Amino acid sequence: MSTLKIRRFGVALLSALVLISSSFAQPASQPKASPLGAIPGKAPLVLQLRGLEAAPKRLGATLAAALPDLAAPINGMLQGGLKSLPFMDGRDLAAIDLNAPVFLVISSLEDLTGDEPPQPAILLPVKDYAAFKKGVLTDDERGTLKKDGPSEAVEINGKTVYLYPTAGYLVVTTNKDNIAAFLRKDVRLNAVMPEGVAASFLNNDGAVYLSLAAINQQYGDTLQTIKTVIELGLAQGGNIDPKQAEAVKAVFNGLIQGITDGTGLVLATDFKPVGLDLHFHIGFGKETDTSDALAKLTPGPLPAIGTLPKGQLSYAVIKMDEALRRSLEGLTQLGSSDDEKIAEILEESLKEYLGAGLTESLSATSFPAKGIEVAIMKQPAKAKVAMLKIYKALVAESEFQGLPLIAKPKITEKAGTVEGVDFTGVELKIDSAKLLDDPQIPEQAKMLLEPLLKKLVPDSLKLWIGASDKALITVTAPNWEEAKKTATAYLTGKDTLATDKGYQAVRSALPKDANMMLFVDGGRSVASLIETIANVANDSGMVPFQIPVPAAPKGPAGFIGATITLSEGSAQGNLLLSAESIKAIRAVVMPLVQQLRGGIQ
């Protein structure tokens, strides 16, 4: 927001609060009566800032951990807080509870879509209204105070500002019409917002609440039009398999239904000692289709992800409840073929695989094309037989997971044994050139994509598949020796992800229960990505200078962690950028930036 617009809003105090609310926050003890009780329940958009007083220390701790060389000068600017700002000279903030939430309320969606800039209402947690007027307002400003209906009006910098105390808060706004929303005896936001969504809104340092009920009321017809357009587009078919088209249609319809059934959306951020936590939370109405569907899912702690071997770039786990497994069946296509007989075998084999009782899907992967996938199964041996049927049915010009094959897969029945588990070898020859064999792709784009695909898609993909008493294990590696090493690490439970301190720090800061989890080694992943792009660019001569290849970061892994939690009436997710991951990524990128500057010059 520009300085000019801030002045149009009024008070210098409001300027400080609006500016700081976008970045700083501080955890605070929640009042016994929910502060949401001061906000009209029909408000379509509300911003929350969880206190002001200790925000510099909280933000400073995160900065010191993630950007230690930059933290000192920034923290120096933050130490003074609000009182250090030039326009706060002579203003005493003692009447404001600096540990309680501060809110910015938009009373109607029209305020956001009109030609004029929005004029929100700001709710300040004021302990004593009389003390506020005496301490915060200057002598000249107090001289302009006058009664204006139930509120008071004061002139500040040539603008009229309206003040109205309510439920432990002071409504401050330059738009008199905003006061009317607080005067009405309508339901309040604490009665509208579900408990879990309210917790996400209030218990994060900064948060935005969007009323989906208001969105549906104003844009419901538009959403239905979008749904119809998508259905018509999928009905035309094109190159999409009819079953996949139906599955994609179901996904889009589910998203539209989710918005329609939604009551509120919260987007939030929280400064933590371990890093920056980004969060979303959607609440759904009771007895709606979405809420009923989510009620069939059960989040859990998913400790099995910790049993994977450490040292990989990324780790993932999905809890496969029966309802989720059924919903994914239409989207799952391990192999495909234009030959009807082969397609029939592939479809039946996939059904056999899914019928083996998949309960959790785990993966740990690195680049290029290596890692381990573990499918926790009720009948692992049955699942292995089904998977081998799929591989044996494939021929040249068939596809496996979207990759075109140049020859029939090579199967080695007894490739090796690890900890009593027999592994079968499978080698797939990939026709990477065929991935660009599409007339809709411009020739210039093909020239740019071809060298990149050669780096990303191997000509040969080697897999080893084994069934333990609990899981189907698939190891991807360039040779059996590396595959054996990875399989041994998993089956013996030695040197696992659970023992990694970086993983432990991030996992402990994320929600206890989830349906899906993802952990990425930030520094090494970025280094690997840049290395691939640099090699392609340098080899092809796409740029007039050599892009330096960054060194992979040394030391412990710095993880980025993400979770999705689905349950009755609620869908929420967290993305945690750990301080260690930020440091590692910066250590990879900054030398590269400096070298590029020198190279370009």
Side-chain angles (χ1 to χ4, degrees):
M1 185 178 291
S2 68
T3 303
L4 178 59
K5 287 184 178 179
I6 292 173
R7 287 176 178 170
R8 292 178 65 181
F9 277 38
V11 204
L13 172 62
L14 301 187
S15 308
L17 293 172
V18 173
L19 286 171
I20 291 180
S21 67
S22 64
S23 302
F24 309 140
Q26 173 61 29
S29 299
Q30 189 175 338
K32 291 182 180 180
S34 172
L36 300 180
I39 303 173
K42 293 183 179 180
L45 182 66
V46 184
L47 281 67
Q48 182 270 145
L49 171 65
R50 192 171 57 164
L52 294 169
E53 190 174 61
K57 291 182 180 179
R58 186 171 172 83
L59 175 60
T62 303
L63 288 174
L67 305 168
D69 56 322
L70 299 178
I74 296 176
N75 284 338
M77 292 187 293
L78 298 176
Q79 287 304 313
L82 283 175
K83 295 180 181 179
S84 65
L85 298 173
F87 37 76
M88 294 303 297
D89 286 345
R91 299 183 188 271
D92 183 359
L93 304 181
I96 300 176
D97 184 351
L98 298 178
N99 289 318
V102 176
F103 302 97
L104 185 148
V105 181
I106 299 294
S107 298
S108 68
L109 290 175
E110 287 76 8
D111 291 343
L112 299 174
T113 58
D115 295 331
E116 293 296 321
Q119 297 181 22
I122 292 180
L123 273 67
L124 302 178
V126 171
K127 295 176 282 187
D128 186 323
Y129 180 41
F132 173 89
K133 290 187 287 185
K134 183 178 180 180
V136 174
L137 301 180
T138 66
D139 291 339
D140 290 341
E141 291 164 353
R142 281 196 301 273
T144 66
L145 273 169
K146 62 180 179 181
K147 195 71 174 174
D148 191 309
S151 63
E152 286 190 281
V154 59
E155 295 296 320
I156 302 174
N157 291 344
K159 295 290 292 184
T160 302
V161 177
Y162 300 91
L163 309 174
Y164 176 69
T166 177
Y169 278 82
L170 178 65
V171 181
V172 183
T173 180
T174 56
N175 183 2
K176 184 178 179 179
D177 292 339
N178 284 333
I179 301 296
F182 292 87
L183 291 173
R184 288 193 291 268
K185 301 300 182 182
D186 295 338
V187 65
R188 292 315 197 194
L189 198 56
N190 60 331
V192 173
M193 198 181 290
E195 183 178 352
V197 178
S200 293
F201 185 59
L202 293 174
N203 296 338
N204 281 283
D205 290 330
V208 177
Y209 164 76
L210 178 65
S211 170
L212 294 180
I215 294 294
N216 286 317
Q217 184 176 356
Q218 186 150 340
Y219 299 107
D221 292 342
T222 302
L223 291 173
Q224 293 305 315
T225 300
I226 293 173
K227 178 181 177 182
T228 302
V229 169
I230 292 172
E231 290 178 347
L232 290 174
L234 291 172
Q236 293 178 3
N239 295 324
I240 302 178
D241 180 84
K243 292 184 179 179
Q244 285 191 313
E246 283 299 315
V248 173
K249 176 182 173 181
V251 170
F252 277 108
N253 285 348
L255 291 174
I256 298 295
Q257 188 66 48
I259 297 174
T260 303
D261 293 342
T263 56
L265 165 66
V266 167
L267 301 175
T269 184
D270 199 25
F271 292 111
K272 295 181 176 180
V274 70
L276 178 65
D277 188 9
L278 305 175
H279 177 67
F280 80 83
H281 195 148
I282 307 175
F284 302 99
K286 295 180 180 180
E287 298 181 358
T288 60
D289 291 343
T290 304
S291 186
D292 291 344
L294 294 178
K296 299 175 183 178
L297 304 179
T298 308
L302 306 181
I305 192 172
T307 66
L308 296 171
K310 70 177 181 181
Q312 302 290 338
L313 292 184
S314 67
Y315 298 84
V317 57
I318 302 177
K319 188 174 185 291
M320 302 297 294
D321 291 297
E322 183 178 355
L324 180 61
R325 191 166 62 245
R326 287 181 178 178
S327 66
L328 292 176
E329 283 182 4
L331 292 175
T332 304
Q333 189 178 47
L334 298 178
S336 64
S337 175
D338 292 333
D339 185 294
E340 291 185 5
K341 290 185 178 180
I342 294 177
E344 185 177 341
I345 294 173
L346 294 174
E347 185 175 353
E348 289 301 317
S349 300
L350 178 60
K351 288 181 180 178
E352 291 176 17
Y353 172 80
L354 294 173
L358 177 63
T359 58
E360 282 187 37
S361 177
L362 309 166
S363 66
T365 58
S366 289
F367 178 83
K370 59 182 181 179
I372 182 170
E373 295 181 11
V374 178
I376 309 298
M377 293 278 192
K378 295 179 181 178
Q379 299 174 285
K382 177 181 177 181
K384 180 180 178 180
V385 171
M387 282 299 300
L388 290 177
K389 281 184 181 179
I390 291 174
Y391 288 120
K392 290 176 181 178
L394 296 172
V395 296
E397 298 188 0
S398 297
E399 290 188 0
F400 180 75
Q401 294 184 348
L403 296 174
L405 303 182
I406 204 170
K408 186 176 180 62
K410 180 182 177 181
I411 310 292
T412 305
E413 291 291 348
K414 296 183 179 181
T417 301
V418 179
E419 297 295 318
V421 176
D422 295 327
F423 283 84
T424 300
V426 179
E427 183 176 3
L428 304 173
K429 296 291 186 179
I430 310 300
D431 187 0
S432 57
K434 194 173 182 180
L435 292 170
L436 298 176
D437 188 16
D438 187 336
Q440 295 182 355
I441 302 177
E443 289 300 320
Q444 190 172 9
K446 290 181 181 180
M447 293 176 62
L448 294 174
L449 290 173
E450 186 176 2
L452 184 61
L453 280 176
K454 287 182 178 179
K455 294 287 184 182
L456 296 175
V457 181
D459 293 332
S460 175
L461 193 62
K462 296 180 180 180
L463 315 172
W464 285 267
I465 305 170
S468 69
D469 58 343
K470 294 181 180 179
L472 178 68
I473 304 164
T474 303
V475 181
T476 305
N479 53 61
W480 168 244
E481 289 305 314
E482 285 201 32
K484 183 179 180 180
K485 183 179 178 181
T486 300
T488 301
Y490 172 70
L491 290 169
T492 59
K494 296 179 180 178
D495 208 22
T496 62
L497 179 64
T499 65
D500 188 288
K501 291 183 179 180
Y503 163 78
Q504 293 171 4
V506 173
R507 179 64 190 93
S508 63
L510 287 167
K512 178 183 176 182
D513 294 328
N515 303 81
M516 307 174 195
M517 293 183 186
L518 173 67
F519 296 89
V520 177
D521 186 334
R524 290 177 58 214
S525 296
V526 170
S528 179
L529 175 63
I530 294 176
E531 179 183 3
T532 300
I533 295 173
N535 288 335
V536 170
N538 293 339
D539 293 345
S540 64
M542 288 189 293
V543 292
F545 55 87
Q546 288 289 298
I547 299 177
V549 176
K554 298 179 180 179
F559 281 102
I560 298 169
T563 60
I564 298 293
T565 305
L566 308 171
S567 57
E568 184 176 6
S570 173
Q572 54 184 311
N574 287 74
L575 176 64
L576 181 61
L577 305 174
S578 72
E580 292 302 319
S581 72
I582 295 172
K583 279 198 298 187
I585 292 171
R586 188 164 176 260
V588 169
V589 173
M590 292 310 296
L592 176 65
V593 172
Q594 294 171 359
Q595 292 179 58
L596 284 176
R597 285 175 178 172
I600 294 173
Q601 293 173 355

